[in-house]
Amino acid sequence: MAEPNTNELDGGIALPFEKSIAHFPKQIADLEAEQIKTGRDFAAEIRQLRAQYVSMLRKTYQSLNPWETVQVARHPRRPLAKDYIDTIVKNFVELHGDRCFGDDKAIIGGLGRIGTEKIMLLAQHKGRDTKEKIIQNFGMAQPEGYRKALRLMKLAEKYQLPIVTLIDTPGAYPGLGSEERGVAEAIAVNLREMSRLRVPIVCIVIGEGGSGGALGIAVGDKIAVMEYAYYSVISPEGCASILWRTAEKAPEAAEALQLTGASLQELGIIDDVIPEPLGAAHRNPAEAAHNLEQYIVKTLRTLKRFKADNLVNQRYESWRAKGKFLEREPK
Amino acid sequence: MAKNTKDEQQATSPYDAAALPVPSPRKKREVPDGLWMRCPNCEAMLYRKAVTENLEVCPKCEHHFRMGGRARVEHLCDPGSFEELFAEIAPADPLNFHWQGKSYAKRIAGEQKKTGYVEAILTGATYIKGRRVALGVMAGDFLMGSMGSVLGEKLTRLIEYATEHSLPLVVVCISGGARMHEGALSLMQMAKTSAALARYDEAGGLYLAVLTDPTTGGTTASFAMLGDIIIAEPNALIGFAGPRVIANTIKAELPEGFQRAEFLQEKGFVDTIVHRKELRSEIARLIDYCKPG
């Protein structure tokens, strides 16, 4: 495993559960600065600190609880869709608009190449700084976003291009216009149509998989969640405020909802968990992007081997099987 | 508005109107106990029995009260014609979900005892005015008609049954959305049922979705909005996010009639608004029009 990037050992911002390791990056940086300033050799000390840091980091991240995972998934420095597009999508041509109402910037769509594969990419982008967040509406799409996504996916089907979707949203936008223009209808139609598109579809939750707003571009042949991303029917805060009557119980709700990759895989909801670098994607975005790229390339290579009919049938069967219930003897 | 409406709004979550906290049984009844009741719309004092005989519609102002699942089946089907299907599918507690000393398993057992249903949907084959149909009726009186694995499975089997037997499909919706207690498994039911509807659509099936008060969250954002023809009951609340969540987001009061059936028809998302009294004949008429030949 690669070492954390020296410049941003803690991704710039330490999370509450990182208290015991938060001091390392500064210590290391200070020593390095001192070394340059005074010309003295602290290499041994730096090496030792670094080793300590790596081992503590490994220990912490091996046993994150679900609420801690949610915090990592929302880390302000976590790579966002645009970062991945910049790193792994070559020759990206962004395509705008739903041809009905407008261009929803919460979902970025376009043509590009990942590895040697030509693909149609759809990605929810939350925005990095305040200005960008407002433009992208914090990754909360409105109906036109889902309709743009469907338009582009149909275009991909027409030209036999596989589809890759990156999911990162707190949820669809709960606003007046969104409701008026039928966000529920737009999501519903995507679910139906994605189930029968005759090209491979790979869907990856890279950060937050917020309920129906996430699912609206997440029906495909293979569904993956990155190691410190989450995917849930409701936000932990929302669940806590309903069942515990206070959003402060979000950690308990996160635990109960079983929203991490490992749990989701066990429940048969997702196919794969994509590993992240030591200390999560924000500590080493390049490695995170590399892992994502590897997964997409490998998965598309497998899916491309199937005839369209078989692909669609398998997709139906895999979704048909999602759900856990009891079946009694019929009377 | 009615007390019920307020309860259901409070429980609607930011991203999906997941299962609602269940108020005390007394409060939850669509129509309060007792000989007399007050219409929340026109405030008339009504004789309880007269309302029931009038299909749970206010005889004075036509306000549509909520109807329980079983009552709805009895009203829609030709007498004695409902053959229940897939009743053997029962809820599990796949996440072993607990909160504040309560458990999902116990909550389910309580709902089953209270309602006599196994889950929040009744599915079967029946006749409506002599037309053979596959019918799904969500039960708003069971955990607010929330959608979990069982609801998704039963509805999917019903859609597959309708496909196989070339039957028109009628689904009466009432739902607080996806059920939180089964986590993302509930969310997946949206895609599962929608995928089944895609196949039914390809086979040429006619799907009539009937939206009743309230239809929200993941239910709206899947099979409820996928009807070939979408029928709504008057003044039914239909939406994705709950009104309270939207009001909190935009930090303003919602316009009068927002997310009501008439509003949705105005915006182009509902084909027709049908009075409960006319529902059976309207379904029959639409089936006749869309029959092959």
Side-chain angles (χ1 to χ4, degrees), chain A residues 67 236-238 240-241 244-253:
Chain A
W67 177 240
E237 292 89 342
S241 58
W244 279 262
R245 308 239 171 226
T246 163
E248 280 167 25
K249 294 288 183 186
E252 279 89 337

Side-chain angles (χ1 to χ4, degrees), chain A residues 179 313 316 320 326-327, chain B residues 90 157 160 199 202 241 259:
Chain A
E179 291 283 330
N313 280 336
Y316 184 79
R320 181 71 190 76
L326 307 172
E327 193 156 7
Chain B
R157 287 197 198 188
E160 289 173 343
R199 291 196 155 187
E202 271 154 33
Q259 288 185 319

Side-chain angles (χ1 to χ4, degrees), chain A residues 104 106 125-126 136-142 146 169-174, chain B residues 15:
Chain A
D104 187 341
H125 184 62
K126 294 202 281 196
Q136 324 282 160
N137 199 27
F138 300 83
M140 294 186 284
Q142 305 196 50
Y146 296 100
T169 180
Y173 185 61
Chain B
Y15 309 126

Side-chain angles (χ1 to χ4, degrees), chain A residues 170 176 179-181 184 188 196 211 233-235 242-244 258 313 316 320 322 324-328, chain B residues 11 13 15-16 88 90 95 99 149 153 157 160 183 189 192 198-199 201-202 221-222 240-241 259 263 269:
Chain A
L176 275 184
E179 291 283 330
E180 274 180 13
R181 298 189 297 277
R196 61 179 167 188
S211 194
V233 65
I234 182 171
S235 71
I242 296 171
L243 290 183
W244 279 262
Q258 300 198 19
N313 280 336
Y316 184 79
R320 181 71 190 76
K322 293 182 193 199
K324 300 245 180 243
F325 50 85
L326 307 172
E327 193 156 7
R328 302 165 178 163
Chain B
S13 66
Y15 309 126
D16 200 347
E88 65 278 10
L95 308 190
W99 74 104
S149 295
E153 180 68 19
R157 287 197 198 188
E160 289 173 343
Q189 307 311 309
K192 175 165 152 176
R199 291 196 155 187
D201 171 50
E202 271 154 33
S222 60
F240 182 52
Q259 288 185 319
F263 174 89
F269 292 100

Side-chain angles (χ1 to χ4, degrees), chain A residues 200-202 221-222 299-306 311:
Chain A
I201 308 173
V202 182
D221 302 296
K222 288 286 174 198
T299 309
L300 286 182
R301 204 173 289 149
T302 315
L303 292 174
K304 267 176 60 178
R305 290 208 297 263
F306 297 108
L311 190 73

